[in-house]
Amino acid sequence: MSIRFDQEKFIIETKNTAYVFALYDHRFPVHLYYGSRQQEYSGEIPKHYRSFSPYYEKYGMVFSPDCALSECPFFGHGDFRTAAIKIRNQDGNSVTSFEYENYEIIKGRRTPNGLPFAEPDENTQTLIINMKDDLTGCKLSLFYTVFADADIITRSFTLQNQGTQTVKLEKAMSLTLDIEEGDFDYITLYGGHATERHYQREHVGFGMQSVCSRRGASSHQFNPFMAVCEHTADEDHGLVYGFNFVYSGSFLNEIEKDPNGRIRIQTGLGEENFGFLLAPSQTFDAPEAVMTCSQEGLNGMSVRFHRFIRQHILPKDPIIPRPVVLNTWEASYFDIDQEEMLRYAKAAADCGIDMLVMDDGWFGKRDDDTTSLGDWFVHKKKFPNGLAPLIRQIKETGLKFGIWIEPEMVNPHSELYQKHPEWCLQAPGRELLLSRHQLVLDFANPEVIDYLEDLFEQTLGDLDIDYIKWDMNRHMCSVASPALPAEQQDETSFRYMLGVYRLFRWFQNRFPQVMIENCSGGGGRYDLGMMKYSTQIWTSDMTGPKQRILIQHGSALAYPPCVMSCHVSDFDGLTSDPGKLDFAFRVATGGVLGYEMKLPDMPENVKETIAAQIQEYRRYESLIINGDFYRVHNPVDSPYYSYYFISPEKDELLAVCLKAEAGATEKLTMCFQVPEDARYIEEATGKEYTGRALKEGFSFETQPEANAYSLFHFTRIS
Ligand code: DGJ
């Protein structure tokens, strides 16, 4: 039993962790504990009060909403810290107050309407705490869904207007975790286009610390992942809380340390880019937020997240093994046609590549990026016979076929925009701002989605495609929908995402054999919402190996290597240097390998190298896709990025150490989490090691030159 109500406490247990809260006077859920699983949870609700903190007369100065560790802080009624729920009521004010009504424990989970969510398994349970605001008649249900084997608890809520007047939800945070005083750091991932998800670790200071996206996409700039850890925690030691959000639009992550040292952590839609009107009997479902707790440092957190994402978020792999793709973009850009595609196909097949992906440029009059988004029909000049014969010929070479789309966008220079200028996001009276010459379609308008479903059915319905790369190349401003009434304009951003998810589900159902790879100008929507529908995600438009290391390091902190699409390209002409080409391959095999270069024009020795690389990758592929991933040396603080993959059965281990810059030879040590009584053999040297020795530390000498790597492959022999 993962969830129980025991001696007035709600106790949620996972394999290694426990989460405990109680009810203050049967009225307010107050947090008590989140940490390692224990025999007993003896915590009492602390009696806190401080000057200037409001209190209920009934309890006197021993209980103030401002001092309690709250499971559901609401706005404007005694808690001065940041709120999770804010509702504007019929009187026009936003003072909000919910009180506990009852609880339910259900098997499985409640699925949020239209939103992505973590798939339950046979052990999944959900605790529902029902609360009521008497004034508005709103019922708030807090969900705690437990994935016990994965050590994950997810949080979300629904708000049901059971009153007689319309209300407006003005702030929606799906997860709140209040913790007692402590010396904590927080870790977030920041960046930009081509510098996504760089690691940042800061001390949690007094006051408000937050990261967010106001861009309508989870964004390159800040990722929804966040960790809060003990100041002393490192990769393998210390308490770490990890958080994430199953959503792909604007979000807000908050950490507030009050002057008494207590810390409130929140994840959700926030308030700046969100509002939702609820008429009587209407319900709002909030997206799901995810949390985990590790006493085994950052690796403990990452491994838990990775397993959870593999088992409960990602779709089942439609193609096994995952295809090694050759993508046309970085070498040909818009300059593709029937003949060029066949040249690519022949060269790819000769090298042992599995799939050719035709990127941007195959539709409308798309000869550059100024035109044709929205016109999803075949570019007649480039493909006079259509795509079906081309795909047939590509398949004759033994390759699979993938195609690029960007359904959410429209160029003003397009037939679609000429016909339906009212179908893009726009604020009346405001100039339309372009980004990459494009505008954003109004996915909050169901008519737009209907239209796109019909159009893609006509264009792709009869084609033998195996893979779709779904791109999204601009962020949203003037977020207003001509299809919504004035009082619902704040819903646009959220409704837009519901439209996006609807279209993803249409593609998934219509093309169940097709693997979707997500992309947003590189990795601008690298989030759990997209991962629900996409087997893998294009990590970044940056394919320079040195720069990639930081991107891959940050990405793998929160997301498993099996979603991380990594291509070897001809960045800076690296294919002409065998050492650099080798290093680019080593970096790319930190995730799912692919290629992105003008392969038909590459010299024979490069083609041979690539063929050999693919063969080598095949040997380790299942470890990379299904294994656990542990970091050892962090590229932010050291010249090395070292990590290892280990199979779930711990019978195979691949350790890698990458070094982009030249530097003196050093002796490095990597400690592996292996069973002490096991014995392993290292492939290259044939040397045998006990598990205990590998746990205590495996040492090796680094190479002095730039673009150097060390690789060790261990197999268990007993
Ligand atoms: C941005 C993507 O990140 C690239 O890989 C490529 O697909 C281009 N868009 C195409 O316009």
Side-chain angles (χ1 to χ4, degrees):
M1 219 9 205
S2 308
I3 304 172
R4 59 185 197 273
F5 186 55
D6 187 11
Q7 297 178 28
E8 299 298 301
K9 289 189 194 95
F10 293 99
I11 300 174
I12 300 172
E13 285 177 327
T14 68
K15 200 158 91 191
N16 297 294
T17 70
Y19 186 101
V20 185
F21 63 97
L23 295 171
Y24 189 81
D25 192 31
H26 235 68
R27 258 176 115 181
F28 305 109
V30 175
H31 182 78
L32 290 178
Y33 176 77
Y34 189 25
S36 291
R37 210 172 146 150
Q38 295 179 1
Q39 285 298 324
E40 263 179 65
Y41 307 98
S42 53
E44 292 297 320
I45 296 177
K47 294 188 169 32
H48 286 306
Y49 177 74
R50 51 181 189 259
S51 317
F52 286 89
S53 287
Y55 55 90
Y56 295 84
E57 196 174 357
K58 178 176 173 197
Y59 311 121
M61 287 185 179
V62 294
F63 177 82
S64 165
D66 189 33
C67 306
L69 300 184
S70 176
E71 287 294 307
C72 173
F74 35 79
F75 179 82
H77 207 225
D79 185 345
F80 295 119
R81 294 162 294 180
T82 183
I85 306 285
K86 181 179 179 189
I87 294 170
R88 189 164 296 277
N89 60 38
Q90 60 265 33
D91 300 324
N93 66 66
S94 302
V95 177
T96 303
S97 184
F98 281 96
E99 296 193 11
Y100 173 83
E101 281 223 308
N102 54 37
Y103 78 93
E104 299 162 64
I105 297 173
I106 60 167
K107 190 171 159 43
R109 62 163 306 146
R110 190 188 167 280
T111 53
N113 214 350
L115 288 162
F117 58 88
E119 288 293 336
D121 60 21
E122 65 287 355
N123 298 323
T124 305
Q125 285 188 318
T126 301
L127 167 65
I128 307 171
I129 301 291
N130 293 312
M131 304 186 60
K132 191 80 189 254
D133 176 29
D134 282 337
L135 181 81
T136 56
C138 280
K139 176 180 171 186
L140 177 70
S141 301
L142 309 176
F143 300 103
Y144 298 76
T145 299
V146 190
F147 298 85
D149 292 340
D151 285 319
I152 297 280
I153 300 170
T154 71
R155 294 279 317 258
S156 63
F157 71 83
T158 61
L159 183 71
Q160 245 178 300
N161 184 352
Q162 297 181 339
T164 53
Q165 311 267 331
T166 295
V167 297
K168 186 173 178 190
L169 178 60
E170 293 189 325
K171 184 173 184 191
M173 301 303 275
S174 299
L175 178 152
T176 301
L177 176 66
D178 276 1
I179 52 178
E180 282 291 1
E181 196 175 348
D183 189 11
F184 285 96
D185 286 353
Y186 69 105
I187 298 170
T188 50
L189 302 173
Y190 74 97
H193 175 245
T195 59
E196 294 89 338
R197 289 174 298 288
H198 281 212
Y199 173 96
Q200 167 174 254
R201 181 167 176 165
E202 298 288 336
H203 192 237
V204 177
F206 290 101
M208 195 69 181
Q209 287 114 108
S210 74
V211 294
C212 69
S213 164
R214 305 182 186 91
R215 295 164 176 268
S218 53
S219 90
H220 313 73
Q221 283 70 16
F222 293 104
N223 190 268
F225 159 80
M226 165 172 74
V228 174
C229 61
E230 285 174 337
H231 183 58
T232 50
D234 60 21
E235 292 290 12
D236 297 312
H237 310 95
L239 175 67
V240 181
Y241 297 111
F243 307 92
N244 214 327
F245 198 32
V246 190
Y247 189 68
S248 314
S250 300
F251 70 90
L252 174 64
N253 281 351
E254 299 180 306
I255 303 173
E256 184 175 10
K257 182 167 177 175
D258 76 13
N260 292 314
R262 279 181 220 116
I263 298 174
R264 171 162 296 167
I265 303 158
Q266 300 205 122
T267 289
L269 293 167
E271 56 191 323
E272 227 177 330
N273 302 282
F274 172 76
F276 210 93
L277 217 58
L278 279 178
S281 82
Q282 285 185 338
T283 299
F284 173 81
D285 286 352
E288 183 165 31
V290 177
M291 63 182 168
T292 193
C293 170
S294 151
Q295 289 280 4
E296 296 96 49
L298 293 168
N299 274 321
M301 173 201 71
S302 298
V303 166
R304 286 173 167 94
F305 273 149
H306 293 180
R307 289 182 187 161
F308 171 72
I309 293 167
R310 290 201 303 261
Q311 284 158 22
H312 298 281
I313 299 281
L314 289 169
K316 284 217 159 25
D317 278 12
I319 307 173
I320 301 173
R322 300 272 190 94
V324 173
V325 307
L326 174 64
N327 180 298
T328 55
W329 177 250
E330 296 226 346
S332 290
Y333 299 100
F334 300 96
D335 199 8
I336 46 168
D337 58 18
Q338 161 106 10
E339 204 183 310
E340 188 65 355
M341 290 302 297
L342 290 173
R343 267 178 14 96
Y344 267 106
K346 162 115 195 24
D350 288 348
C351 289
I353 282 172
D354 304 307
M355 183 188 287
L356 181 60
V357 176
M358 178 164 74
D359 209 281
D360 200 346
W362 62 267
F363 54 93
K365 300 193 175 86
R366 186 85 165 165
D367 297 325
D368 57 35
D369 61 8
T370 62
T371 176
S372 297
L373 290 172
D375 297 344
W376 299 108
F377 35 82
V378 177
H379 193 307
K380 288 271 167 43
K381 278 205 186 129
K382 293 180 180 176
F383 302 99
N385 308 319
L387 293 182
L390 169 72
I391 297 173
R392 204 175 317 117
Q393 281 173 282
I394 289 173
K395 298 233 155 165
E396 277 164 16
T397 67
L399 293 184
K400 295 187 187 307
F401 176 76
I403 194 164
W404 178 96
I405 57 175
E406 192 178 359
E408 295 156 73
M409 298 293 153
V410 64
N411 288 113
H413 292 291
S414 66
E415 291 182 21
L416 178 60
Y417 187 75
Q418 297 315 312
K419 257 195 270 164
H420 285 294
E422 79 288 6
W423 274 6
C424 65
L425 294 179
Q426 54 196 287
R430 307 282 171 207
E431 186 180 342
L432 284 170
L433 301 189
L434 294 168
S435 179
R436 206 197 189 201
H437 311 285
Q438 61 200 57
L439 300 168
V440 185
L441 283 174
D442 178 10
F443 268 43
N445 178 357
E447 254 185 77
V448 174
I449 319 283
D450 294 343
Y451 173 84
L452 289 169
E453 286 175 2
D454 287 348
L455 186 55
F456 282 116
E457 176 62 46
Q458 282 168 41
T459 306
L460 304 182
D462 292 332
L463 296 181
D464 185 9
I465 53 176
D466 302 289
Y467 163 112
I468 286 174
K469 178 176 171 188
W470 178 314
D471 205 346
M472 193 267 196
N473 282 301
R474 74 157 286 179
H475 290 151
M476 297 171 206
C477 58
S478 301
V479 183
S481 164
L484 289 171
E487 63 280 14
Q488 283 182 278
Q489 286 301 318
D490 286 349
E491 298 173 22
T492 306
S493 186
F494 182 71
R495 287 186 181 275
Y496 177 96
M497 282 320 307
L498 292 180
V500 171
Y501 295 135
R502 183 188 137 188
L503 193 60
F504 264 104
R505 282 193 295 272
W506 180 82
F507 272 99
Q508 270 191 332
N509 295 333
R510 176 61 187 81
F511 302 100
Q513 80 289 0
V514 162
M515 173 173 140
I516 300 179
E517 171 152 333
N518 190 256
C519 171
S520 174
R525 274 204 310 209
Y526 208 93
D527 61 66
L528 297 182
M530 286 295 140
M531 286 177 199
K532 176 80 179 182
Y533 307 105
S534 333
T535 309
Q536 51 196 51
I537 301 192
W538 179 226
T539 312
S540 176
D541 278 347
M542 169 50 71
T543 50
K546 180 177 160 212
Q547 297 85 331
R548 263 265 171 168
I549 285 179
L550 289 175
I551 297 170
Q552 296 185 189
H553 165 256
S555 303
L557 194 68
Y559 305 99
C562 70
V563 280
M564 193 158 69
S565 184
C566 303
H567 295 181
V568 176
S569 79
D570 195 21
F571 181 83
D572 255 354
L574 65 77
T575 55
S576 56
D577 178 331
K580 287 186 181 165
L581 178 57
D582 195 15
F583 189 66
F585 165 69
R586 298 297 156 191
V587 174
T589 50
V592 184
L593 177 68
Y595 290 85
E596 191 142 347
M597 61 177 67
K598 202 145 211 166
L599 201 57
D601 299 343
M602 285 290 155
E604 273 318 299
N605 66 325
V606 171
K607 289 184 185 165
E608 280 161 19
T609 302
I610 288 174
Q613 289 179 342
I614 293 170
Q615 278 190 14
E616 186 183 334
Y617 171 69
R618 289 283 180 230
R619 291 172 51 210
Y620 307 129
E621 184 180 9
S622 124
L623 257 186
I624 297 167
I625 304 289
N626 307 312
D628 286 329
F629 173 86
Y630 290 83
R631 289 169 303 278
V632 182
H633 294 96
N634 173 339
V636 182
D637 308 319
S638 85
Y640 308 105
Y641 181 30
S642 79
Y643 52 81
Y644 64 97
F645 293 98
I646 182 162
S647 63
E649 304 74 27
K650 303 206 182 292
D651 53 6
E652 196 187 354
L653 186 154
L654 180 71
V656 180
C657 177
L658 302 166
K659 182 171 74 78
E661 303 283 4
T665 296
E666 265 189 271
K667 188 171 165 197
L668 282 194
T669 301
M670 293 174 82
C671 300
F672 303 130
Q673 312 262 348
V674 287
E676 291 193 1
D677 56 356
R679 290 186 67 76
Y680 292 85
I681 184 164
E682 200 282 311
E683 188 180 316
T685 55
K687 261 183 94 172
E688 291 186 16
Y689 297 85
T690 62
R692 175 178 309 209
L694 294 180
K695 211 166 175 186
E696 279 168 6
F698 168 79
S699 298
F700 57 95
E701 298 269 311
T702 62
Q703 318 288 323
E705 63 270 16
N707 303 318
Y709 69 90
S710 311
L711 184 138
F712 307 97
H713 183 219
F714 298 88
T715 311
R716 186 169 177 170
I717 47 178
S718 68

